[in-house]
Amino acid sequence: MGKANSKSIQYSFKPKKKQRQLSTNSFSSTSSATLSSNSSHSSHSSQEKEILPNEEELFQYVDNRKFCKWNEYTNYVYPVDHDETDRSQMQHFMYKHVWGENFSSPIGHQLQSDSTRVLDVGCGSGTWVLEMASEYQNAQFTGVDIARLYPSEIKPENVSFVQANVLVGLPFPDNTFDFIHMRFMLFAFTLKNWEVAINELIRVCKPGGYIELMEKDILWFNEGPFCKAARTVMADELRDKKGMEVIITPTLQKILSQHTSVNHDEKVVPLGEWGGKLGKLYRELYGWGAKNLKKVMTDIGFSEEEWNETVDICLKQLQERKGYDKIHRFWIKKSED
């Protein structure tokens, strides 16, 4: 890849012709059987169960950091470790501040009931679940994630966690949950994964229940020429070599609208010190998150040095031009027919 010179701001983004060999054997026969049985959604057990994949089949270590092995059903490109958990927790509290609430769906009154069941898909360390369970102590909360970063023993009585993969199939019967929440899966799903995942959320949601997604596109406003060039190359290479789409919100709205009417809200978040304490924190989190993507960036053609320099230049240019991005929430009510 041609190197971007931060002084002359000359851009020549030409990723190296390099493609990682994808693993096709990262799930056991048990998981494959689960996928087959889930395709019809008719053979789910009426009892919740915990799926315990073999660690060696799902994860690998690169430069002393833990990653999901890449295949059709595990596409998460961020590390699965404490550093990334720390970042995602800080991100949670920042976005809680931006929105003023942990959800946008009109389910506040239902959360006061002891019959209400809530599911968080891709729960990570369980921050959203634990905070919600503390605030709404009557409702029952379940978090699921492919990696066991959530607390296994010390947790509120109204919280449970299950290791599962939404792309293989959630281990719950149809029509189980009143509210389903999923966020920040942009770097966990390929473009074709999104419809599979959303259909699975709809399956386990009760008629009249709500499903809410929160995502952001890799799309900056007031960006400069370097940012636009770098962002475009990143998007093109991820789409071509990984099947990922980083401008995902139009796709989400399209998939959701196939089921029912879609509610949408968005918030503007400043990127840089020009936006005060919020902008400064967001800039730090953005840089932290971008540099935690260095493995997939080297997979698609950047060198580590090039990627780190690209991130630094982009953040500098966004600060200078008062750049910002937008965070989106979409929510739907499942038909009661």
Side-chain angles (χ1 to χ4, degrees), residues 70 73-78 87 91 120-124 144-147 164-167 170 181-191 193-194 197-198 201 212-217 243-246 248 252 327-328:
W70 185 277
Y73 309 115
T74 54
N75 308 307
Y76 191 59
V77 299
Y78 271 112
R87 186 193 69 85
Q91 182 176 250
D120 185 30
V121 175
C123 67
V144 302
D145 202 285
I146 194 171
N165 183 348
V166 66
L167 299 179
L170 296 172
H181 175 262
M182 187 171 76
R183 64 179 178 178
F184 304 139
M185 304 299 274
L186 180 71
F187 290 110
F189 295 156
T190 63
L191 186 58
N193 290 156
W194 278 103
I198 290 172
L201 303 189
E212 180 168 319
L213 309 179
M214 186 165 86
E215 291 293 337
K216 66 176 182 180
D217 299 318
M244 289 182 159
E245 178 54 66
V246 296
I248 198 60
L252 301 187
I327 185 74
H328 301 264

Side-chain angles (χ1 to χ4, degrees), residues 65-228:
R65 302 198 72 178
K66 185 178 180 180
F67 292 87
C68 286
K69 288 185 177 179
W70 185 277
N71 61 48
E72 188 175 355
Y73 309 115
T74 54
N75 308 307
Y76 191 59
V77 299
Y78 271 112
V80 185
D81 60 16
H82 293 301
D83 180 78
E84 179 56 24
T85 295
D86 289 345
R87 186 193 69 85
S88 65
Q89 288 177 334
M90 289 187 66
Q91 182 176 250
H92 163 82
F93 292 113
M94 188 204 74
Y95 282 126
K96 170 72 177 298
H97 170 76
V98 169
W99 288 99
E101 183 55 274
N102 277 320
F103 57 89
S104 293
S105 301
I107 45 82
H109 65 289
Q110 288 178 257
L111 293 173
Q112 306 297 336
S113 170
D114 59 10
S115 65
T116 297
R117 298 191 65 184
V118 179
L119 177 67
D120 185 30
V121 175
C123 67
S125 62
T127 307
W128 186 90
V129 169
L130 296 170
E131 188 172 294
M132 287 286 289
S134 177
E135 187 171 355
Y136 300 98
Q137 297 182 17
N138 292 326
Q140 298 297 312
F141 292 85
T142 301
V144 302
D145 202 285
I146 194 171
R148 303 180 75 177
L149 296 173
Y150 45 79
S152 58
E153 296 179 0
I154 302 175
K155 58 184 185 294
E157 291 184 359
N158 61 333
V159 169
S160 62
F161 291 105
V162 178
Q163 186 175 19
N165 183 348
V166 66
L167 299 179
V168 175
L170 296 172
F172 310 111
D174 297 356
N175 308 324
T176 298
F177 296 96
D178 300 278
F179 179 45
I180 300 176
H181 175 262
M182 187 171 76
R183 64 179 178 178
F184 304 139
M185 304 299 274
L186 180 71
F187 290 110
F189 295 156
T190 63
L191 186 58
K192 68 178 182 178
N193 290 156
W194 278 103
E195 189 162 9
V196 173
I198 290 172
N199 285 340
E200 185 67 356
L201 303 189
I202 291 171
R203 180 187 69 78
V204 299
C205 184
K206 292 180 182 178
Y210 285 89
I211 296 168
E212 180 168 319
L213 309 179
M214 186 165 86
E215 291 293 337
K216 66 176 182 180
D217 299 318
I218 305 302
L219 179 64
W220 305 314
F221 299 85
N222 291 346
E223 65 182 0
F226 184 94
C227 290
K228 183 175 181 179

Side-chain angles (χ1 to χ4, degrees), residues 185-288:
M185 304 299 274
L186 180 71
F187 290 110
F189 295 156
T190 63
L191 186 58
K192 68 178 182 178
N193 290 156
W194 278 103
E195 189 162 9
V196 173
I198 290 172
N199 285 340
E200 185 67 356
L201 303 189
I202 291 171
R203 180 187 69 78
V204 299
C205 184
K206 292 180 182 178
Y210 285 89
I211 296 168
E212 180 168 319
L213 309 179
M214 186 165 86
E215 291 293 337
K216 66 176 182 180
D217 299 318
I218 305 302
L219 179 64
W220 305 314
F221 299 85
N222 291 346
E223 65 182 0
F226 184 94
C227 290
K228 183 175 181 179
R231 181 177 58 77
T232 300
V233 168
M234 175 186 178
D236 290 346
E237 293 297 310
L238 282 172
R239 188 182 303 115
D240 178 52
K241 295 179 180 177
K242 297 294 187 181
M244 289 182 159
E245 178 54 66
V246 296
I247 309 295
I248 198 60
T249 57
T251 297
L252 301 187
Q253 188 142 9
K254 181 179 179 181
I255 295 172
L256 291 169
S257 67
Q258 294 171 359
H259 299 276
T260 185
S261 59
V262 181
N263 302 280
H264 171 235
D265 196 6
E266 65 182 36
K267 296 288 186 182
V268 168
V269 189
L271 262 166
E273 287 81 351
W274 72 270
K277 291 182 179 178
L278 174 62
K280 181 179 180 180
L281 175 60
Y282 194 35
R283 182 188 187 280
E284 292 173 356
L285 286 172
Y286 218 106
W288 188 357

